[in-house]
Amino acid sequence: MNFTAEIKKELLSKKREKLKGNAAKAALSAFVRTSGVVGFSEGQPAFYLVSETEKVAEFFNGLFFECFGVELSLTTARMDKMSGRDKLVFECPKEKAQTVLCELGILRAESKTLIDGLPEDLLNGIDERFAYIQGCFLGGGSCTVPAENGKTGYHLEFVFSERKIAEQFCELLETTEVLAKVVERKETFVAYVKSKEMISDFLAVMQATGALKKFVSLVEKRDESNQKNRAANCMSGNADKSAVAAVKQVVAIRKIAQEKAFDELSDELKDLAILRLKEPSKSLQELADILKVSKSCLNHRMRRLIQIAESSSQEEKTTNN
């Protein structure tokens, strides 16, 4: 079961008795907006509902019956080639469609025209707003978390057929302090969130506590893994820098030897030069431990060797000129 299915299962597990009055209608309105096809048949309002999840369809069919005494009829059940899942198509009885759509804030009763926005009269209270958001997620929402191969990231989205509804839905989400953006995708408009903090807030608002715990656990594991990778990369980068520095030191010491300036070095510098040539792969700390001096002291001596080598090169250039 993917993460989206887990969230939906948890939301559906909550008792339908909690959705009453306008809260129930808000959830139904959202479901129609995200998974429904609304139009006209022989001049009369009509709508269909499409669902890939039997439990979701069963939940909302029950809610329709409780609110309106309407039983939706299953007209089609076919396999979707893209998703590999069954698509269930339900139809509202034609004689009931207009009444239902008007009460859900989707259709104007007088003109029989569709309303191009959210049902404001159904969203006056907190319970109604939360119910609408839940309905949108159950109807057209999905939530993904990073895969082990790291090719996907955190992503929460809601799919709508109209831009205005998607934009107003973002404003509704903002009242719960979840910030979303809208992008056009083919013939749909998607309200999406990519922030793991915002997704966590969304799950908390929806009271999907089980999904929230799993999400937080996944985030912590991924963050820990990322920190380990960054540390490993940092160590690797430092190792590369140390290797480059060691090569530079060996080259400098060999330059001193070629210029016959080796015998003029102090005993401390000679000991370090000989040890570096003998142990070209060891770190400065390891060399300092062998010579029983501090790393800062060894650094100072190594810089002195490099300066002597550079001075010898300058003198050589001056002599040649």
Side-chain angles (χ1 to χ4, degrees):
M1 183 184 295
N2 60 38
F3 193 52
T4 296
E6 290 185 32
I7 299 171
K8 290 185 177 182
K9 181 180 179 181
E10 183 171 359
L11 293 179
L12 291 173
S13 69
K14 300 181 182 301
K15 294 181 180 180
R16 192 157 55 228
E17 290 77 26
K18 291 184 178 180
L19 290 175
K20 294 294 183 181
N22 281 349
K25 290 180 180 180
L28 287 173
S29 180
F31 190 68
V32 172
R33 284 298 196 185
T34 51
S35 68
V37 178
V38 182
F40 294 86
S41 176
E42 298 178 354
Q44 296 300 315
F47 71 90
Y48 296 83
L49 296 177
V50 183
S51 178
E52 294 181 349
T53 308
E54 186 176 346
K55 292 292 185 182
V56 171
E58 180 183 333
F59 177 85
F60 281 100
N61 282 348
L63 206 56
F64 266 108
F65 185 78
E66 291 176 11
C67 288
F68 303 106
V70 172
E71 290 188 7
L72 305 183
S73 57
L74 178 64
T75 62
T76 309
R78 59 181 175 80
M79 177 71 75
D80 183 84
K81 294 181 179 179
M82 295 294 290
S83 65
R85 295 188 292 269
D86 289 333
K87 274 199 171 182
L88 308 174
V89 181
F90 295 85
E91 181 181 9
C92 178
K94 289 181 174 59
E95 66 275 12
K96 294 283 189 178
Q98 180 172 330
T99 299
V100 171
L101 291 174
C102 287
E103 291 200 35
L104 295 184
I106 296 174
L107 183 74
R108 296 181 181 88
E110 303 81 11
S111 59
K112 292 185 181 180
T113 56
L114 297 178
I115 298 172
D116 59 347
L118 299 191
E120 296 181 3
D121 291 342
L122 297 179
L123 303 177
N124 292 322
I126 294 176
D127 291 342
E128 288 78 9
R129 292 196 291 270
F130 285 0
Y132 194 89
I133 295 171
Q134 286 182 345
C136 285
F137 185 79
L138 289 169
S142 64
C143 184
T144 57
V145 293
E148 292 183 2
N149 58 19
K151 292 184 179 180
T152 58
Y154 301 101
H155 188 83
L156 169 68
E157 72 173 36
F158 305 80
V159 182
F160 300 90
S161 60
E162 299 176 31
R163 177 181 289 278
K164 184 174 181 179
I165 296 175
E167 291 175 344
Q168 288 186 348
F169 179 75
C170 288
E171 294 174 4
L172 179 62
L173 274 181
E174 191 173 347
T175 65
T176 68
E177 298 185 358
V178 175
L179 305 181
K181 297 181 179 179
V182 175
V183 64
E184 185 173 356
R185 183 191 297 163
K186 295 182 180 179
E187 297 180 355
T188 63
F189 298 91
V190 180
Y192 70 94
V193 177
K194 287 187 175 294
S195 162
K196 59 189 177 185
E197 291 79 14
M198 292 292 176
I199 295 175
S200 178
D201 290 345
F202 167 78
L203 294 175
V205 167
M206 294 298 98
Q207 298 181 343
T209 53
L212 176 59
K213 288 179 181 178
K214 181 173 182 178
F215 183 78
V216 170
S217 177
L218 289 170
V219 169
E220 289 176 347
K221 287 181 180 179
R222 182 168 176 80
D223 287 350
E224 183 180 355
S225 176
N226 288 340
Q227 287 176 357
K228 288 181 179 179
N229 289 337
R230 284 194 290 269
N233 292 337
C234 182
M235 290 175 65
S236 175
N238 288 339
D240 291 341
K241 291 179 182 178
S242 296
V244 171
V247 170
K248 183 178 179 180
Q249 293 159 10
V250 169
V251 170
I253 293 168
R254 287 177 177 169
K255 179 70 176 175
I256 293 172
Q258 288 174 359
E259 296 299 323
K260 298 180 181 180
F262 195 85
D263 292 336
E264 298 176 8
L265 297 176
S266 65
D267 291 341
E268 292 84 359
L269 294 182
K270 279 184 183 178
D271 290 343
L272 175 56
I274 293 170
L275 183 59
R276 172 46 90 197
L277 292 176
K278 183 181 177 182
E279 303 287 358
S281 63
K282 288 190 180 298
S283 67
L284 287 182
Q285 184 60 62
E286 290 173 318
L287 297 181
D289 292 341
I290 293 173
L291 294 175
K292 298 185 178 350
V293 296
S294 66
K295 184 180 178 180
S296 60
C297 176
L298 196 78
N299 257 322
H300 175 74
R301 293 179 185 179
M302 191 64 76
R303 284 196 297 271
R304 181 62 185 139
L305 286 173
I306 292 173
Q307 287 172 357
I308 292 172
E310 290 174 348
S311 297
S312 298
S313 296
Q314 285 296 117
E315 289 176 4
E316 181 182 355
K317 288 180 181 179
T318 301
T319 303
N320 291 337
N321 290 336

